[in-house]
Amino acid sequence: PEVPSIMGGRLLVPEGRIIIYGQPGTYKSFATLQLCYALSLGIDFLGYNVSRPQRVLYLQAEIVPWMAQERMQKMKNFYGESPNFMYGYTRDFSLRTTDDWETLTNTVLEAKAQFVFIDPMSQVFAGSELDDEKTRLFFQDLDVMSTKTGCGVGLVHHARKTTWNNDGSTNHAGAGDLRGHSSIEAWADTIMRLSHTNEAGGATEVAWQKVRHAPVPMAKYLR
């Protein structure tokens, strides 16, 4: 049978994998939260239809508690209550051991989540993102968790930064691309890249860098 669509003609599918990434200050977390609310409420995201409400678990693993609470309160004030949206604070948690993965799996099962978003991946990933073996094992374990729970996975990640050469010049090659080993990009079904643009009043451009189950749509702007 045809792969069913959750959002936008198979931009997201059941048990799908999405990466949302960009440079600092491109509102990755806010874009992810807006996506989470859209999925949980069954409303459009950037004009893309969400076929039915999803139970969504969002795990914030980076910012300090009071900032996380303030951010979530603003999102709640805007979108209202969503019984399908669950928020977790996991700054003190990383996926290093079998017990850690079991904890994540049990949490997803307890929440009956259909999608779990981890923001950001780097906070829970143990090791170097350039290490072939560690990244492959990480994604294998993510896939095992997804299979056990029937849950899709979303990761918030960072882009490569501009580097400086020994002579003081800057090297822009690769700047803005997805950071880390190539297996990160290979794992994803869908990759959403955020970047600032002077067009459209300085809004954040949302480009679909990779879509496995559908044609790649045109970029849109997020305010």
Side-chain angles (χ1 to χ4, degrees):
E2 189 174 277
V3 177
S5 175
I6 289 176
M7 186 186 80
R10 297 194 295 276
L11 281 175
L12 279 183
V13 299
E15 296 186 44
R17 311 147 160 175
I18 181 171
I19 291 177
I20 301 166
Y21 86 100
Q23 296 278 17
T26 51
Y27 301 101
K28 298 184 292 293
S29 293
F30 283 102
T32 302
L33 283 170
Q34 289 184 21
L35 174 58
C36 288
Y37 265 100
L39 291 173
S40 70
L41 293 169
I43 60 177
D44 288 2
F45 174 73
L46 290 177
Y48 300 110
N49 173 259
V50 174
S51 60
R52 56 191 178 278
Q54 303 287 307
R55 286 185 64 81
V56 178
L57 173 63
Y58 173 82
L59 301 177
Q60 169 55 247
E62 188 172 46
I63 57 179
V64 294
W66 68 267
M67 184 181 292
Q69 292 168 353
E70 181 184 48
R71 181 176 294 179
M72 283 306 304
Q73 187 62 54
K74 288 180 178 179
M75 300 299 290
K76 180 180 175 182
N77 290 345
F78 183 82
Y79 285 99
E81 288 282 359
S82 175
N84 291 316
F85 181 75
M86 294 149 285
Y87 177 85
Y89 183 74
T90 57
R91 197 182 185 198
D92 56 351
F93 178 76
S94 62
L95 292 165
R96 296 176 180 272
T97 67
T98 302
D99 288 344
D100 295 333
W101 284 102
E102 186 176 349
T103 296
L104 176 62
T105 300
N106 290 339
T107 300
V108 171
L109 286 171
E110 183 179 350
K112 299 179 181 178
Q114 293 166 286
F115 262 89
V116 57
F117 287 82
I118 300 173
D119 183 7
M121 167 189 146
S122 58
Q123 190 70 20
V124 300
F125 179 78
S128 168
E129 298 164 7
L130 296 173
D131 188 310
D132 181 14
E133 183 179 2
K134 287 187 180 296
T135 53
R136 291 182 188 279
L137 286 174
F138 176 79
F139 288 118
Q140 285 174 9
D141 287 336
L142 265 185
D143 287 343
V144 169
M145 184 278 296
S146 175
T147 301
K148 286 182 177 179
T149 61
C151 181
V153 179
L155 298 175
V156 179
H157 197 39
H158 301 289
R160 291 192 180 99
K161 297 180 181 179
T162 300
T163 57
W164 282 264
N165 301 317
N166 291 333
D167 61 3
S169 62
T170 55
N171 178 19
H172 297 281
D177 293 342
L178 188 65
R179 194 178 78 185
H181 193 269
S182 60
S183 58
I184 299 175
E185 182 173 0
W187 170 83
D189 296 326
T190 302
I191 299 179
M192 181 166 60
R193 175 177 176 171
L194 305 182
S195 58
H196 279 312
T197 173
N198 291 325
E199 301 175 25
T204 294
E205 182 184 59
V206 178
W208 302 96
Q209 185 170 309
K210 177 183 178 183
V211 181
R212 179 168 284 155
H213 300 292
V216 177
M218 294 178 62
K220 294 199 176 185
Y221 297 99
L222 181 67
R223 297 189 181 279

